[in-house]
Amino acid sequence: MSPRTPRYIWLTALLSAAVVAPLAATQYSQAAASPNHAAFAAAPSSVATAAANPDNRQVGHRLRGQDQQRQGSGQQGAGQPSQQGQAGQPPPPPAPTGTAGQQGQQGQQGQQNPDPARQAPNNERHGNLKAAPNAAGGKAPNPNCTLIVPPGPLTAQGLATPYQLTATKRGDGACNEANANQSAFVEATILDPATGALSIYHPLVVDKGTKPAAPPVPAQLPPGAVVGVWFGFQGTTLTLGGASGGCVNGQPGSPFGQFAYCGAPAFFRAANAAIAAGKLKVPQLGTGRDGKPCPTTRDFSVVDQDQSDNLDTEYLALPDGRIAQSNTANAAALGGTTKLTNASDNGLMNNFIDPALGCQPFTAPDMTAGGQAVPSLALNELQAAAGQAAPVALVPPNDPMAQVNGKRSVAKTNLYRAGTNQPPLNPAVDTAAAYCRNLSTIAPARLQLDKQLTAAAPSPDPAAANNLFGFLQQRFQTSLTNLACMQQGGGAPKK
């Protein structure tokens, strides 16, 4: 993706009396429907009345920013009964046809961002892109970086081998993991197919040619473990390089932007089989303080323009730029560290929305943090598939990350969906207009319902909004703009 203005990706519900600023007239052209599609995961969107931004810029939040620590932690709930088969649950995604290299763009080190004309901003803003000058003489850091994947990324050795961050195009300036506007993140979820047990591992990212501040925690995998790895990014376009042959970065010449994965479809097939066999128990959603079911990443009160992207992963950064895995031992031994976090849909729900509503995310033990119970993208998608009632938000064809040069692509949308346990796109049902219509009608009602709770909750970005309610308002407005909902007939909330 090309450099984008700030993007908001979080739960939003809006006041019925809210006034929404005019939507940008971003035009999206329809792509020819392709019969071979893989599925995206769509999350519910929230509606909010945003304070009008005169120049229609999107204020960026630092939910997963360098200076903000994670708020709240998930509780283990794996023993609760599954809600598999509830209304609105999509079928598990089929195995994508062809190899990962045939379907997804294989990141190549040194490849320039191939889709520079993309207009859609990223409303889950990952900082202000002003923290450090780049080598090209500009004031903003290079937003396009390459992550060198180590050999065997789905093995125990590969998980414990640091990924290396470098500039995709050297002339655009360096990429540094400690720069909160360029940080890349990696998250693995592991399944023991024999028992259904889940665990999490957070592989480390360091600058190319440097060593970690502390040795990575060894990864302990059960026999026959099925591993999925997902990626998040604070900049604009993350390209996978190195041993990325089994990974999906988008389509050739058109990467997703801030999302990529290795082994995700196989992980979800194994997890869905374990659920069906009764080995893996997905916790029930529970009921929020508002009397409604707790939201999921496929709830139209939570989704935004590009749902289900980015991660809960955290790292520790030292003043000299060295990076370590985030755990109590490293924090105590290293001292003077700054926590790096990834602005994400998942982080917004797990660390801000859930606590405000009295809800708990699905969690599993984190091997890199002494077994602490933590959520993950994969766990969020499994719970959403099991418990989200209709209408279910699934990655739509007007999602900017799923488009190619601003045009809709069934094939690319399906690749994204395959990485988030979602069924292939049905062009007759999964339309841009339907997504916008659900977003603009469902989100406002819950935002209004939850206003007392979210107005008392902290904002993911205090510079953008004073509380969670205001943040969700801005995010909702921006999502309607970036999804071109006015052009889709979905419209914006009426005054």
Side-chain angles (χ1 to χ4, degrees), residues 340-355:
L340 295 171
T341 52
N342 186 203
S344 69
D345 295 337
N346 294 285
L348 175 68
M349 187 182 75
N350 297 333
N351 300 326
F352 291 88
I353 294 170
D354 277 353

Side-chain angles (χ1 to χ4, degrees), residues 90-409:
T97 58
T99 65
Q102 292 170 333
Q103 294 188 44
Q105 176 206 8
Q106 300 309 305
Q108 296 179 1
Q109 185 177 350
Q111 176 185 1
Q112 185 176 5
N113 174 22
D115 216 346
R118 298 194 60 172
Q119 299 296 318
N122 178 344
N123 81 343
E124 183 183 66
R125 190 48 181 167
H126 305 75
N128 295 325
L129 294 181
K130 65 180 182 182
N134 64 26
K139 294 183 178 180
N142 183 359
N144 303 317
C145 303
T146 290
L147 194 59
I148 301 174
V149 180
L154 305 182
T155 66
Q157 182 175 352
L159 291 174
T161 301
Y163 287 68
Q164 298 183 66
L165 188 71
T166 188
T168 299
K169 186 179 180 182
R170 185 175 301 176
D172 290 341
C175 287
N176 301 114
E177 180 65 16
N179 187 324
N181 297 308
Q182 298 175 313
S183 305
F185 297 84
V186 189
E187 177 180 87
T189 301
I190 300 104
L191 170 72
D192 182 346
T195 65
L198 293 163
S199 57
I200 309 296
Y201 189 92
H202 293 112
L204 186 61
V205 176
V206 301
D207 291 350
K208 182 181 179 182
T210 68
K211 294 183 178 180
V217 175
Q220 303 292 334
L221 303 185
V226 182
V227 180
V229 174
W230 289 263
F231 302 89
F233 187 47
Q234 294 291 101
T236 298
T237 301
L238 183 67
T239 299
L240 297 184
S244 59
C247 304
V248 177
N249 201 181
Q251 284 190 310
S254 182
F256 293 127
Q258 296 172 337
F259 177 77
Y261 58 85
C262 303
F267 170 85
F268 284 123
R269 287 195 298 273
N272 290 330
I275 291 171
K279 296 178 180 179
L280 172 56
K281 305 295 184 182
V282 177
Q284 296 181 2
L285 293 179
T287 301
R289 294 190 180 109
D290 58 0
K292 298 289 185 180
C294 289
T296 75
T297 51
R298 301 183 190 180
D299 188 321
F300 274 106
S301 70
V302 173
V303 295
D304 66 349
Q305 69 179 40
D306 42 12
Q307 65 181 61
S308 301
D309 66 338
N310 289 295
L311 310 172
D312 285 284
T313 301
E314 300 173 347
Y315 299 129
L316 299 177
L318 287 173
D320 62 6
R322 290 181 299 146
I323 311 296
Q325 289 169 321
S326 181
N327 56 50
T328 302
N330 284 343
L334 297 173
T337 61
T338 299
K339 187 168 288 186
L340 295 171
T341 52
N342 186 203
S344 69
D345 295 337
N346 294 285
L348 175 68
M349 187 182 75
N350 297 333
N351 300 326
F352 291 88
I353 294 170
D354 277 353
L357 299 183
C359 297
Q360 297 288 343
F362 184 13
T363 64
D366 180 3
M367 283 187 273
T368 54
Q372 176 185 352
V374 299
S376 74
L377 180 152
L379 299 187
N380 284 343
E381 294 300 332
L382 288 173
Q383 189 174 43
Q388 180 60 49
V392 179
L394 301 172
V395 174
N398 51 332
D399 181 330
M401 285 196 190
Q403 295 184 333
V404 177
N405 290 320
K407 297 183 179 180
R408 298 173 193 171
S409 168

Side-chain angles (χ1 to χ4, degrees), residues 31 36 63 84 99 139 154 162 185 242 265 301 317 328-329 425 429 440 448:
N36 177 21
L63 167 62
Q84 191 80 2
T99 65
K139 294 183 178 180
L154 305 182
F185 297 84
S301 70
T328 302
L425 185 78
V429 176
S440 62
Q448 171 65 21

